[in-house]
Amino acid sequence: ETGVTQSPTHLIKTRGQQVTLRCSSQSGHNTVSWYQQALGQGPQFIFQYYREEENGRGNFPPRFSGLQFPNYSSELNVNALELDDSALYLCASSLDVRETQYFGPGTRLLVL
Amino acid sequence: KNQVEQSPQSLIILEGKNCTLQCNYTVSPFSNLRWYKQDTGRGPVSLTIMTFSENTKSNGRYTATLDADTKQSSLHITASQLSDSASYICVVRSGATNKLIFGTGTLLAVQP
């Protein structure tokens, strides 16, 4: 186990709804990255948070937003859910922005 | 465009046999290359990391090679076990953006 936890493990939503996914980073890690992994694909970078500030963003629309708390845990929020948002959402924490990323088990989101 | 391509897409081998997975990348400049193992529905777990100056690195039955001139890497699995059944993802860190670029993975099934 990497020490990175995510909740919930599974989630079912309908189109147009909003969802919040949570990630607790490994102790001592100040950086959290979020990824979306569609079935049979590699993870796609959503954004990264470093010391509570966004530190880079991938090609995802503004309805994907996030934040990082003072204890370095993080949330991913997705508004106006679409069917294509169905995927495994992974968070990874690291000691710093250039260090090894340790992945959590992921949250599987299904949008109906 | 920075890309990471893996082959084969999927592979079935018998328990006890060896196999080799390939990764070709166009990411430049290159910082490091990492192989991850991802069990179904779980987060990726790092197997090896290689920098520009390293040609070979082993982790138990896993041996990774890197040819930075041809931008190719391979992951060799020796004496496969049923628990090796997973997706193996090649990830390259860009030296320019510091971002991780993921391959789509090779799905390995080890049969008894």
Side-chain angles (χ1 to χ4, degrees):
Chain A
E1 298 298 324
T2 62
V4 180
T5 60
Q6 292 186 242
S7 63
T9 56
H10 297 81
L11 200 53
I12 300 176
K13 291 284 189 179
T14 57
R15 276 187 307 175
Q17 286 189 309
Q18 177 267 342
V19 68
T20 297
L21 310 182
R22 295 179 175 82
C23 172
S24 291
S25 56
Q26 194 173 125
S27 178
H29 288 190
N30 59 26
T31 303
V32 172
S33 304
W34 284 93
Y35 296 87
Q36 180 195 67
Q37 186 177 24
L39 201 60
Q41 300 294 315
Q44 297 294 314
F45 175 68
I46 303 175
F47 42 56
Q48 181 183 77
Y49 279 85
Y50 169 66
R51 294 184 180 274
E52 302 180 62
E53 298 288 330
E54 187 177 289
N55 180 50
R57 187 181 181 93
N59 292 328
F60 281 82
R63 59 189 185 85
F64 285 78
S65 64
L67 70 159
Q68 187 177 31
F69 299 100
N71 66 356
Y72 300 134
S73 65
S74 178
E75 284 184 356
L76 163 66
N77 298 290
V78 187
N79 294 322
L81 284 167
E82 301 176 359
L83 297 180
D84 286 347
D85 295 334
S86 296
L88 179 69
Y89 287 85
L90 297 164
C91 97
S93 77
S94 52
L95 272 173
D96 210 308
V97 294
R98 297 193 71 89
E99 298 297 323
T100 300
Q101 295 191 9
Y102 295 87
F103 285 84
T107 292
R108 186 162 295 282
L109 172 66
L110 178 61
V111 182
L112 301 177
Chain B
K1 182 181 177 183
N2 288 329
Q3 286 187 313
V4 178
E5 296 184 348
Q6 294 186 242
S7 62
Q9 192 172 37
S10 59
L11 186 61
I12 302 174
I13 62 174
L14 294 177
E15 187 179 10
K17 297 295 186 182
N18 305 333
C19 67
T20 300
L21 314 180
Q22 299 290 342
C23 174
N24 297 334
Y25 62 93
T26 60
V27 180
S28 183
F30 154 92
S31 180
N32 59 53
L33 182 148
R34 192 185 295 270
W35 284 91
Y36 280 92
K37 177 186 179 187
Q38 184 176 23
D39 293 316
T40 302
R42 309 288 295 179
V45 174
S46 179
L47 294 175
T48 64
I49 180 172
M50 303 187 75
T51 58
F52 187 88
S53 60
E54 295 175 300
N55 300 119
T56 303
K57 183 170 281 188
S58 292
N59 176 7
R61 295 180 296 104
Y62 301 105
T63 299
T65 66
L66 174 66
D67 185 335
D69 292 330
T70 62
K71 294 184 169 55
Q72 295 180 325
S73 176
S74 67
L75 179 69
H76 186 75
I77 303 175
T78 304
S80 62
Q81 300 176 356
L82 298 179
S83 59
D84 292 333
S85 296
S87 182
Y88 291 83
I89 305 175
C90 174
V91 185
V92 178
R93 186 185 287 275
S94 167
T97 65
N98 196 38
K99 294 296 184 284
L100 299 182
I101 301 164
F102 289 76
T104 54
T106 292
L107 184 61
L108 173 65
V110 180
Q111 294 186 338

